[in-house]
Amino acid sequence: MQRPCHFCGHPLEETYRVCTECGRPNRTPKQVRRLGWVLVGLGAFLVVFMAGLSLVIGRIIARSGNPEATTRYTGDASDAAIVFGIFAFIALFGLVGMSAGASEVRHGKVNRRMVTAVLVLGGAIFVGAQLSLIFL
């Protein structure tokens, strides 16, 4: 059975590990599915971690007016909105990663659009973090 090269699209036998046209290494569908499960796991971890972190920080913000609270939030509403917006963006990154991984598991091949979406979101998170260091 033949499948296209992940890079140039040249048809390859499934057993070929290197493309005969462009010379780049190719993964078998089994390897792609295994990496897809890794993506699903990492994406789920990010989503759950950001949700938990949002709950913890939300509770701190909600209790910061209590005089008996051991932790206090000293920012204003716009600061909280920025923090929760960043958490949501990272959770979205995790969701897209999970979707890309699920696509790889289901089809046994890399979905270039999903990988591009993950990379774009990851780049946006990085750029946003760098800009926040400069301007905040």
Side-chain angles (χ1 to χ4, degrees), residues 11-123:
L12 298 172
E13 292 296 325
E14 284 216 16
T15 57
Y16 288 4
R17 295 205 179 255
V18 177
C19 178
T20 55
E21 185 71 23
C22 68
R24 292 185 174 174
N26 275 269
R27 294 183 180 97
T28 64
K30 184 177 178 180
Q31 290 171 322
V32 171
R33 283 187 175 96
R34 191 175 306 135
L35 290 173
W37 281 113
V38 170
L39 262 179
V40 168
L42 290 174
F45 171 77
L46 275 177
V47 170
V48 169
F49 185 74
M50 287 297 113
L53 196 56
S54 295
L55 288 174
V56 168
I57 291 181
R59 290 180 70 191
I60 289 171
I61 292 172
R63 294 180 180 172
S64 64
N66 185 352
E68 299 166 1
T70 57
T71 57
R72 299 205 189 290
Y73 176 74
T74 57
D76 59 5
S78 66
D79 293 335
I82 290 171
V83 168
F84 287 117
I86 291 169
F87 289 172
F89 198 71
I90 294 171
L92 176 65
F93 177 71
L95 285 173
V96 173
M98 286 174 57
S99 299
S103 172
E104 289 178 10
V105 169
R106 182 169 185 224
H107 301 291
K109 62 181 182 178
V110 176
N111 185 334
R112 286 182 177 243
R113 288 184 181 143
M114 295 295 263
V115 170
T116 302
V118 169
L119 292 175
V120 166
L121 283 173

